[in-house]
Amino acid sequence: MPTITWSDDLAIDDSQIDFQHRQLLDTIGDIEDALAAGDQRRVAEAMPFLRQYTLTHFADEERALQLIGWPQLDAHRELHRGFTQRLTELDGACRRGDLTAGTMLLGFLAAWLAGHIRGADREFAAEVRKLRQRK
Ligand SMILES: [Fe+2]
Ligand SMILES: [Fe+2]
C-alpha cells in the first residue's frame, strides 16, 4: 500500500482535472510500491505512462487556462515545464541505475504534485468551474 495516495483535500472540484490528478497520484503510488518491492521492471513500465500522462494533463490544463484567459498562464506553463524537465532528469538517472534516484524521484513527484495542486492549480479552480458551467 503506497504512502503516496490521492486524498479528497486535493480535489479542486473540476471533474476532468481531479480525475487526471488522481491518475497521476495513483501512478506515482504504483511506482512507490514497485520501488519498495525492488521491482525495476514495473518501475520501467510505469514511467513512460507517467511521463505521457503528465504531458496530457498539463496540455489539457493549459488549454482550460487559455479559455478562461488566466492572467498567470505563462507562469503556470513555466511551472509545468520545470516539472517535466526534472522528471526527465530523474527518470534518466533511474534508468542509468542510480540507486538514490528512485527515492529522489518519489520525493520530488509527491511533494511537487501535492504542492502544485493545493497551490497554483487551486487558484484557477473557481474560474475553470465557471467555464464548464457555461458549456
Ligand atoms: Fe497545473
Ligand atoms: Fe494540475
Side-chain angles (χ1 to χ4, degrees), residues 17 21 24 57-58 61 76 80 112-113 116-117 121 124:
I17 292 176
H21 286 161
L24 287 170
H57 168 62
F58 287 168
E61 208 174 88
H76 202 94
H80 288 168
W112 191 95
L113 208 57
H116 183 79
I117 293 170
D121 283 357
F124 62 69

Side-chain angles (χ1 to χ4, degrees), residues 5 8 20 24 26 35 79 87 95 99-100 104 107 111 114 124:
T5 52
D8 286 340
Q20 292 181 343
L24 287 170
D26 285 350
L35 278 169
L79 294 174
L87 180 59
R95 276 187 289 155
L99 293 176
T100 57
M104 275 169 55
F124 62 69

Side-chain angles (χ1 to χ4, degrees), residues 8-9 14 40 51 105 108 116:
D8 286 340
D9 67 308
D14 177 78
Q40 288 298 334
R51 293 186 55 180
L105 175 73
F108 166 72
H116 183 79

Side-chain angles (χ1 to χ4, degrees), residues 16 21 47-48 55 65 72 76 78 81-82 91 118-119 121:
Q16 185 198 56
H21 286 161
M47 283 307 294
L55 294 179
L65 295 187
Q72 288 98 41
H76 202 94
E78 254 327 282
R81 208 185 55 79
D91 181 30
R118 287 199 176 92
D121 283 357

Side-chain angles (χ1 to χ4, degrees), residues 21-89:
H21 286 161
R22 198 180 194 132
Q23 288 280 103
L24 287 170
L25 279 157
D26 285 350
T27 307
I28 296 168
D30 284 346
I31 293 172
E32 183 189 13
D33 270 350
L35 278 169
D39 190 342
Q40 288 298 334
R41 203 175 58 99
R42 236 170 86 207
V43 176
E45 280 168 6
M47 283 307 294
F49 175 80
L50 178 65
R51 293 186 55 180
Q52 190 50 50
Y53 201 78
T54 299
L55 294 179
T56 301
H57 168 62
F58 287 168
D60 284 348
E61 208 174 88
E62 286 164 19
R63 200 169 305 121
L65 295 187
Q66 201 148 25
L67 287 171
I68 60 171
W70 188 241
Q72 288 98 41
L73 171 58
D74 284 346
H76 202 94
R77 199 176 263 138
E78 254 327 282
L79 294 174
H80 288 168
R81 208 185 55 79
F83 176 84
T84 308
Q85 199 176 342
R86 187 77 181 121
L87 180 59
T88 303
E89 285 165 14

